[in-house]
Amino acid sequence: MSWTETHQPNVRPWIAQWESTTLLSEKWMTAGEINYCTSHTLIVITDGQAVWNINGQHVHLAFGHFIAIEENSFVEVLEGGNLDLAGWHIQFHTWSILKAEGTVVKADWHVPLGNTYQIVQLTGGFLTSISDSLNTQQSMGASEQLVEHQAFLYGLLKSLYLKPTSDQHTTEEGILRSIAYMQEHYHETITREELAQIAGVSQWHYSRKFGELCGKPPLDYLANYRIHRAQEELLLTSASSQDIAKKIGFEDVHYFSRRFKQFAGMSPRNYVQHLDKRQVLSISALCAEVLISLGIIPQAVMVTPLLIPQHQQELFEKHGVKQLEVPQYETNIEFIQQEQPEIIMGHFITEDIKKKLRGVAPILTGLTNDVEILLQQFGLWFHRQEEANALQVQMDNKVNAARQQLSSIIESGATVMVLRVEPFGYRYLGGNSSGVSQLLYQRLGLALPESLMAGEGWFNPCTIDQLSAADPAYLFVEKRMMEYFNADENMEKLREGQQWRHLRAVKDGHVFYIDTSLWVDGCGVIGQNIIIDQVVSSLKNH
């Protein structure tokens, strides 16, 4: 198999030679780590998210992304350890055959788009085929594996070279370009004429088509966008109205206040004081659970049916919160637009999704999944500090009661480990992260095996040998729940292995199976109490 880069006609045909396929190591998940790509590199993200710096460019990656990186590049990890990141790292070389000389020489290779890296969004079907291919390879002989590796490599490379069905720019694409320009330059003076030129159509046609696509005239969209950014500034900073007005493109603070009141229905000062009266859409079920615990009922919440724990399902139904069902790792922009929320809240979302949502409402994202911090943050924003403090006292009392019940285990130093079984391998819960990690190892005071204390991520890569070396006294096992992949085969392989049978927790009957939807995605005000009850019941009764 060979390729000629058709957009560069003078480049010789080349062939790709597979070098290695490995799971992403902890170095790709730990903030501050720098990974040097000495070979051409392909990375497939099979779980979670990450923020990397690739050759000086800030890149936000998420589940389903496929990244091609040219050799002699560097990747600095900015965020990833707490974002459930997992995936595959494939290295390869490229060669050209000089037929006249009968020799093979190293060939220069560049990603098709002409940068030093390229990102492609893979489909669910392609991801499923990756899972099947990699699982099949594990049972093959060396020669068969080599052939499969080459086929796998070329399948990924092919997805880089797929061309769009049409190179013509439609009117809609032009309008989207103009929206991107507005979002980048909203603090500057922008005219309708300028926007129409960017879209490549007449002013009249631009205004008509923009209204059809966005539901409002372009300059109203721009004003709305500016006010949304002002609302975020009011909530997230201590800047004055005058400073905020200048930052978003209003020289006159009084005109800014009038426009703000026109769009928000109240002055900037009153907006902050009455945030609890706004219609909130949560793109995180955990955030929605904390809001309801404070007496703030969201109008809607985005949920993945596979991953919503029972207590959240019942909570949302009880309070009449509309549930917008989406596949895992997806954010449905159309669903959100239809709800017309006044605030959008949630955890980590990609910059691409954030840009699309910023025209809908102010966005408060990047929020922690640590329930205690979230509780205090929401209490401050929605003026529910007393309720937040009361809930914190209740949670502290629950933790203290559990510590009393587990005192003999805590004092003995008996180790407790949480093992995640995934479709492609295993990971363990780190001891210095957020969510259930904070609950187990900081608040309850349980002991993590000494050999695992170096793991800085939320869930860190774990080999069977590492599991044996850790040899915990108590072992909680999570079989990872995912839309496109299945962990049954790795779970079966784990339990059939000799090293599993020799684990102290296995021999003593101290292995407990836990649910992804609760322990990973449901550790809120209510969920944390349920998890504590499960931990106490498991450890005390055994």
Side-chain angles (χ1 to χ4, degrees):
M1 290 182 280
S2 66
W3 249 305
T4 299
E5 297 184 86
T6 55
H7 64 292
Q8 296 178 356
N10 295 326
V11 175
R12 287 193 299 262
W14 52 269
I15 60 173
Q17 180 185 23
W18 170 85
E19 180 184 345
S20 66
T21 300
T22 57
L23 286 166
L24 286 181
S25 67
E26 196 170 342
K27 283 199 66 178
W28 295 89
M29 306 171 194
T30 305
E33 288 283 358
I34 298 179
N35 298 276
Y36 296 97
C37 302
T38 55
S39 305
H40 299 308
T41 297
L42 306 177
I43 293 174
V44 179
I45 306 298
T46 58
D47 199 1
Q49 302 185 63
V51 181
W52 290 348
N53 171 7
I54 304 179
N55 296 329
Q57 297 191 52
H58 192 276
V59 180
H60 190 155
L61 304 168
F63 167 80
H65 277 165
F66 164 49
I67 312 99
I69 306 171
E70 294 177 9
E71 64 180 356
N72 301 320
S73 297
F74 76 88
V75 177
E76 179 186 5
V77 180
L78 303 179
E79 295 183 62
N82 295 332
L83 303 177
D84 238 4
L85 179 69
W88 289 93
H89 175 211
I90 302 102
Q91 297 183 92
F92 70 99
H93 298 287
T94 50
W95 307 92
S96 286
I97 301 175
L98 303 179
K99 294 182 179 179
E101 294 87 345
T103 59
V104 176
V105 297
K106 187 173 181 180
D108 287 335
W109 178 79
H110 302 284
V111 295
L113 292 186
N115 204 334
T116 57
Y117 72 91
Q118 183 175 335
I119 300 175
V120 174
Q121 179 68 55
L122 300 178
T123 64
F126 198 105
L127 288 166
T128 302
S129 71
I130 288 174
S131 173
D132 293 341
S133 173
L134 292 170
N135 283 329
T136 301
Q137 289 174 28
Q138 294 176 6
S139 60
M140 290 181 173
S143 298
E144 290 177 298
Q145 279 191 2
L146 182 59
V147 172
E148 283 296 318
H149 283 313
Q150 282 293 120
F152 180 52
L153 170 62
Y154 273 90
L156 289 173
L157 287 172
K158 183 178 180 181
S159 67
L160 286 179
Y161 286 85
L162 293 176
K163 292 185 176 180
T165 54
S166 174
D167 291 328
Q168 294 182 346
H169 295 299
T170 65
T171 301
E172 182 175 326
E173 288 171 339
I175 290 172
L176 293 177
R177 284 199 307 277
S178 73
I179 291 174
Y181 182 85
M182 283 190 221
Q183 294 185 354
E184 188 174 346
H185 299 274
Y186 68 92
H187 55 284
E188 302 172 6
T189 300
I190 300 175
T191 65
R192 189 180 67 158
E193 180 182 8
E194 185 179 7
L195 294 171
Q197 288 176 350
I198 291 169
V201 295
S202 69
Q203 290 187 51
W204 177 84
H205 191 58
Y206 175 72
S207 294
R208 185 171 66 85
K209 286 296 184 181
F210 192 101
E212 291 175 3
L213 183 65
C214 301
K216 56 176 67 72
L219 295 185
D220 279 359
Y221 178 95
L222 175 60
N224 219 4
Y225 186 86
R226 286 170 168 162
I227 299 303
H228 291 162
R229 304 294 72 76
Q231 291 168 334
E232 292 170 8
E233 291 288 325
L234 286 166
L235 294 170
L236 299 173
T237 74
S238 57
S240 67
S241 290
Q242 187 168 359
D243 289 340
I244 292 173
K246 288 182 179 179
K247 186 173 182 178
I248 65 169
F250 290 88
E251 287 299 325
D252 184 342
V253 67
H254 300 293
Y255 179 62
F256 161 68
S257 295
R258 288 199 302 273
R259 292 293 277 170
F260 190 101
K261 189 171 184 179
Q262 179 183 351
F263 279 95
M266 59 183 66
S267 69
R269 182 189 297 273
N270 286 336
Y271 176 81
V272 175
Q273 295 300 320
H274 296 89
L275 189 66
D276 57 340
K277 304 296 192 296
R278 318 307 290 185
Q279 291 288 337
V280 178
L281 186 148
S282 177
I283 56 176
S284 155
L286 176 60
C287 287
E289 178 182 334
V290 176
L291 285 170
I292 294 172
S293 299
L294 288 170
I296 307 296
I297 311 302
Q299 69 176 113
V301 59
M302 195 158 282
V303 300
T304 298
L306 176 71
L307 294 174
I308 184 169
Q310 183 178 350
H311 76 273
Q312 287 181 352
Q313 179 83 41
E314 294 172 351
L315 186 70
F316 300 152
E317 291 175 356
K318 176 182 177 181
H319 291 279
V321 180
K322 186 174 182 180
Q323 297 181 53
L324 309 176
E325 297 186 357
V326 295
Q328 190 175 12
Y329 294 118
E330 291 190 17
T331 302
N332 191 307
I333 307 295
E334 187 177 341
F335 281 0
I336 296 174
Q337 290 173 327
Q338 289 171 356
E339 295 302 314
Q340 299 183 325
E342 295 173 297
I343 303 172
I344 299 170
M345 309 186 80
H347 298 302
F348 225 68
I349 57 173
T350 65
E351 285 302 315
D352 181 54
I353 295 295
K354 187 180 288 188
K355 285 179 181 178
K356 294 175 181 176
L357 289 177
R358 295 193 104 179
V360 178
I363 304 174
L364 303 176
T365 62
L367 303 177
T368 177
N369 60 2
D370 189 311
V371 63
E372 294 182 356
I373 297 175
L374 207 55
L375 192 62
Q376 295 305 317
Q377 181 66 79
F378 286 174
L380 180 64
W381 280 340
F382 292 93
H383 306 286
R384 294 286 199 279
Q385 288 97 328
E386 287 187 14
E387 291 88 341
N389 291 336
L391 286 169
Q392 184 64 62
V393 169
Q394 292 176 19
M395 292 165 65
D396 289 342
N397 290 339
K398 181 76 172 181
V399 168
N400 291 334
R403 287 182 70 110
Q404 286 292 324
Q405 292 175 283
L406 298 173
S407 58
S408 60
I409 293 174
I410 295 169
E411 291 166 8
S412 72
T415 55
V416 178
M417 177 180 177
V418 179
L419 178 71
R420 168 178 286 180
V421 180
E422 299 185 323
F424 303 112
Y426 309 95
R427 288 198 273 179
Y428 70 90
L429 181 69
N432 297 292
S433 188
S434 57
V436 76
S437 169
Q438 277 283 327
L439 175 62
L440 295 182
Y441 301 119
Q442 308 302 317
R443 305 202 67 211
L444 290 177
L446 298 171
L448 182 70
E450 182 73 27
S451 62
L452 303 181
M453 288 186 176
E456 296 184 18
W458 187 19
F459 277 93
N460 304 273
C462 183
T463 65
I464 299 298
D465 288 341
Q466 282 179 289
L467 174 61
S468 295
D471 196 21
Y474 299 91
L475 180 62
F476 290 93
V477 179
E478 174 212 348
K479 187 176 78 171
R480 181 67 169 154
M481 297 168 62
M482 300 186 71
E483 292 269 357
Y484 298 107
F485 304 123
N486 190 299
D488 288 344
E489 188 172 333
N490 267 351
M491 178 68 84
E492 184 178 351
K493 186 186 301 182
L494 173 69
R495 290 191 293 207
E496 288 180 350
Q498 275 194 342
Q499 288 168 297
W500 171 262
R501 292 193 290 272
H502 291 151
L503 290 175
R504 179 172 29 161
V506 174
K507 290 189 290 188
D508 294 343
H510 293 169
V511 178
F512 317 105
Y513 294 91
I514 59 175
D515 186 0
T516 295
S517 62
L518 175 62
W519 279 57
V520 178
D521 298 297
C523 190
V525 176
I526 300 169
Q528 179 170 289
N529 288 340
I530 299 172
I531 293 171
I532 289 174
D533 288 340
Q534 288 185 2
V535 171
V536 171
S537 175
S538 298
L539 302 189
K540 285 293 290 181
N541 292 339
H542 293 79

